[in-house]
Amino acid sequence: MDKIIICGGRPLHGEVEIGGSKNDAVAIMAATLLIPGKTVLHRVPRISDVDTLLEILRHLGATTRFREDGALEIDASQLNTCEAPQDLVRQMRASFNILGALLTRFGRASVAMPGGCNIGARPVNFHIKGLEELGAKLQLHHGVYHGEVRRFRGANIYLEFPSAGATQHLMLAAACAEGRTIIENCAAEPEIVNLAAFLNACGAQIHGAGTPTIEIDGVPELHPTEFHIIPDRLQAGTYAVAAAITGGDVFIRNARPEDCRPVLAKLRETGTEVQEYPDGVRVRRVTERILPTDIKTMPHPGFPTDMQQVFASLLTIADGVSLITETVYESRFRYTTELERLGAHIVVEGRTAKITGVPALTAAPVTCTDLRGGAALVVAALVADGATEIDGLHHIDRGYEDLVPRLRQLGAAITRTQDANGGLRVCSV
Ligand code: EPU
């Protein structure tokens, strides 16, 4: 079993380039099923969630290919089944959006309830209710949704929570519906804005993405296009926190400051200097100790739930007490037990984690509990005294492209190995 081994204590310095966003790539890849023709996507990250979704698309009959220049071609002209492979759909969350796309293409579809990180119940009731409001008839049998629709019909949909996935799913289902759809209280993340931009580049008529209300005028069909995935704001945030926790100085190329604003604002509160440039962000710690701060996760543009875990690592060595309140998911604190193995003092009560900063962390064997929880362990290990061994790497592989080489390039003593003695080697780098 692979392990990441990190010998903590080296400040990160230099430049790191951020690749494409996982959550943008998977949303747009699912949407390509709407399009009879060859879509070309640039900056798709090479991560396991992308591989899983590509396997699903191929099972449905699409042809896919990474070109030599790194661009991904998806040709969904000839789909041959509307039944998604259950075992693959259950491995990730965004695969569920293919239900709306297949219903558009075939008038019927079968897609299992999705999987994804174990961070809460994560039901799909908003997706189902919205698709039904657009005219689909859906039934759940043995964990698989079976649906039928003649053609989606525009509708007024109110989401009781601004769900990113439901907003994306309903946007793509409404793209070729008959008439106008209005989605209220929708999510406003940069990945929503870019999915709308992608669909519009394919001929859709979507307005208001990035605001709480999106209007979609259905068009008869979409055409293929060539399009760029946005840089990953969560990877950018992870490197920014890694620079801060190690007392380093890192330029994060491609990070879009406007997408990272809540995280950058909180970083400044911890005594970190953040400089914003058109082509990236420079992060440099300017205080001796990290200053404590409180965080409450919120739908965009609030502080992203996906960054609370990595940020918690930073606060474990702050000079005082910090509170993190998680309002989006009901159980996204499982990683805190692993951080405690490294010497962190964290008490979780309900949806709040109280972190009492300690002067230093110490290395220990730890296990990733989920994708961002895994990244939190990597970030903490960068400052833990000794060699930290991290296993459960399949979680990190789902969303972080080339994490180990990129951190090594910034000066971290980090390696990925199957070898029990790898820790000795990395500490003597
Ligand atoms: N929710 C419902 N019913 C629904 C849909 C959502 O109750 O039908 C609830 C969820 O249980 C959760 C809240 O609404 O409590 C927000 O969920 P949302 O639908 O916004 O999340 P998602 O679309 O499943 C995406 C990202 C997550 C990220 C969230 C929130 C993808 C593939 N996943 O999930 O990313 O945490 O939005 O921003 O886009 C990650 O990258 O590590 C990750 C988990």
Side-chain angles (χ1 to χ4, degrees):
M1 194 171 52
D2 278 17
K3 287 180 180 173
I4 287 178
I5 300 175
I6 301 175
C7 198
R10 292 183 169 205
L12 301 187
H13 283 284
E15 178 174 320
V16 63
E17 189 169 326
I18 300 302
S21 151
K22 164 179 89 77
N23 293 344
D24 190 36
V26 292
I28 289 179
M29 286 166 64
T32 63
L33 283 180
L34 288 171
I35 302 155
K38 191 196 287 175
T39 303
V40 179
L41 299 177
H42 294 275
R43 217 191 277 133
V44 174
R46 305 301 288 264
I47 50 175
S48 68
D49 267 11
V50 163
D51 292 340
T52 306
L53 188 50
L54 282 174
E55 220 177 314
I56 294 172
L57 299 185
R58 284 194 293 268
H59 171 97
L60 296 169
T63 56
T64 73
R65 175 173 88 98
F66 272 106
R67 297 192 320 211
E68 268 178 22
D69 65 358
L72 173 63
E73 292 177 354
I74 300 176
D75 189 338
S77 307
Q78 305 286 331
L79 298 184
N80 47 34
T81 173
C82 58
E83 291 181 16
Q86 281 194 49
D87 50 334
L88 294 177
V89 170
R90 283 171 48 218
Q91 288 176 29
M92 59 184 292
R93 180 77 180 171
S95 54
F96 197 58
N97 293 9
I98 66 178
L99 177 58
L102 290 174
L103 284 169
T104 300
R105 286 291 292 277
F106 287 93
R108 61 197 171 81
S110 299
V111 179
M113 288 183 76
C117 282
N118 182 2
I119 48 182
R122 308 187 82 181
V124 287
N125 53 330
F126 304 157
H127 300 237
I128 297 304
K129 184 163 174 273
L131 291 175
E132 286 175 343
E133 284 168 333
L134 292 171
K137 300 245 178 308
L138 291 157
Q139 281 192 323
L140 180 66
H141 281 303
H142 304 297
V144 179
Y145 276 102
H146 302 276
E148 274 183 17
V149 69
R150 195 186 56 76
R151 182 180 171 195
F152 282 124
R153 244 185 0 256
N156 285 6
I157 299 171
Y158 173 80
L159 294 177
E160 65 182 73
F161 185 89
S163 152
T167 303
Q168 289 162 335
H169 198 168
L170 298 175
M171 214 159 55
L172 72 84
C176 297
E178 202 177 323
R180 170 172 286 198
T181 297
I182 299 177
I183 312 175
E184 285 181 279
N185 196 32
C186 61
E189 277 88 348
E191 296 80 24
I192 305 285
V193 175
N194 208 41
L195 176 63
F198 168 74
L199 291 168
N200 285 345
C202 299
Q205 293 287 331
I206 302 177
H207 304 284
T211 76
T213 304
I214 295 180
E215 292 184 9
I216 304 151
D217 286 309
V219 296
E221 60 178 16
L222 300 179
H223 55 74
T225 192
E226 188 161 343
F227 200 75
H228 279 79
I229 302 302
I230 55 173
D232 194 315
R233 64 192 165 104
L234 305 172
Q235 281 189 48
T238 303
Y239 288 104
V241 173
I245 198 172
T246 60
D249 182 352
V250 174
F251 181 68
I252 306 163
R253 185 168 295 285
N254 280 348
R256 302 199 305 184
E258 65 276 20
D259 291 353
C260 304
R261 195 123 288 138
V263 173
L264 300 183
K266 278 291 163 192
L267 265 182
R268 289 184 174 109
E269 286 181 21
T270 66
T272 306
E273 183 180 271
V274 178
Q275 290 169 308
E276 303 181 9
Y277 300 94
D279 58 344
V281 171
R282 180 179 173 194
V283 175
R284 193 163 68 96
R285 211 183 63 239
V286 287
T287 53
E288 186 60 31
R289 286 284 305 268
I290 291 156
L291 308 178
T293 186
D294 295 340
I295 286 172
K296 191 172 187 179
T297 67
M298 302 281 275
H300 191 80
F303 191 93
T305 168
D306 297 327
M307 284 305 300
Q308 65 94 340
Q309 292 144 298
V310 168
F311 223 89
S313 294
L314 179 67
L315 299 176
T316 60
I317 54 166
D319 190 14
V321 175
S322 308
L323 294 178
I324 297 188
T325 305
E326 170 59 64
T327 74
V328 179
Y329 291 108
E330 63 277 18
S331 58
R332 209 170 192 177
F333 283 131
R334 288 167 61 230
Y335 69 100
T336 56
T337 316
E338 298 302 303
L339 282 182
E340 284 180 74
R341 291 184 204 279
L342 301 176
H345 283 186
I346 307 178
V347 178
V348 176
E349 241 183 72
R351 291 200 168 208
T352 300
K354 179 179 169 193
I355 305 176
T356 305
V358 294
L361 300 177
T362 51
V366 287
T367 302
C368 303
T369 52
D370 59 88
L371 168 58
R372 308 296 167 192
L377 297 179
V378 170
V379 165
L382 291 172
V383 288
D385 184 28
T388 298
E389 289 188 16
I390 305 173
D391 62 22
L393 301 186
H394 59 284
H395 290 293
I396 291 182
D397 293 341
R398 291 188 43 208
Y400 285 89
E401 191 179 21
D402 294 336
L403 182 65
V404 169
R406 285 177 189 182
L407 285 172
R408 195 182 302 128
Q409 174 197 323
L410 292 173
I414 181 170
T415 193
R416 185 168 176 148
T417 179
Q418 292 185 313
D419 172 358
N421 293 321
L424 294 176
R425 278 203 305 277
V426 74
C427 286
S428 61
V429 170

